[in-house]
Amino acid sequence: MAPALALTEPLSGALHELLAARSLRERNRELVLALVAAGNRGEVNHLTRHWAGAAETGGHTLPDGLGLTLESVVADHDVVALRATARAEGAAWSLVAELRFDAAGRVEQCHDLLVAKTAAS
């Protein structure tokens, strides 16, 4: 009869930390994907705020047809970096953003760079 396998305590702790970090990265990546999807539905958020204009009702609106195309996303611990292309009203922009999330999944910090694309770029 083969002996029962058991994880040693140090290995169990390291495995737990690895899985917790992976889960956090995956959760934060999913949150960024949700922000992109919400922006594509016309919702104002951290990624679409550059295009938000004041609405007559006191809220904010986005240009009709604003679309975000996700080019790349990289998650590390509580930070996610993304690169996207935004298009609206015949214009296009490159958006690079770094978002930090708190334990509850709310955006804690957002640093971004928006560059208008020209016909040559």
Side-chain angles (χ1 to χ4, degrees):
M1 178 179 235
L5 297 176
L7 293 175
T8 62
E9 197 59 39
L11 180 58
S12 294
L15 183 59
H16 173 74
E17 287 178 26
L18 178 66
L19 292 174
R22 179 175 178 217
S23 296
L24 181 63
R25 283 192 310 270
E26 288 176 2
R27 180 203 71 166
N28 291 343
R29 184 178 187 284
E30 291 297 322
L31 289 170
V32 165
L33 296 177
L35 286 173
V36 170
N40 285 332
R41 289 191 306 270
E43 298 175 23
V44 177
N45 61 43
H46 290 279
L47 300 179
T48 60
R49 63 188 171 86
H50 296 286
W51 297 276
E56 293 175 9
T57 60
H60 287 86
T61 61
L62 296 175
D64 287 336
L66 175 68
L68 296 175
T69 303
L70 191 61
E71 305 294 341
S72 64
V73 59
V74 178
D76 189 25
H77 298 290
D78 60 345
V79 176
V80 179
L82 73 99
R83 186 175 55 88
T85 299
R87 291 181 177 80
E89 301 173 347
W93 300 266
S94 291
L95 172 65
V96 177
E98 179 183 273
L99 296 101
R100 180 179 301 275
F101 295 92
D102 66 11
R106 293 180 298 254
V107 176
E108 194 171 70
Q109 292 179 344
C110 178
H111 304 284
D112 58 11
L113 174 67
L114 184 67
V115 178
K117 288 188 170 190
T118 61
S121 56

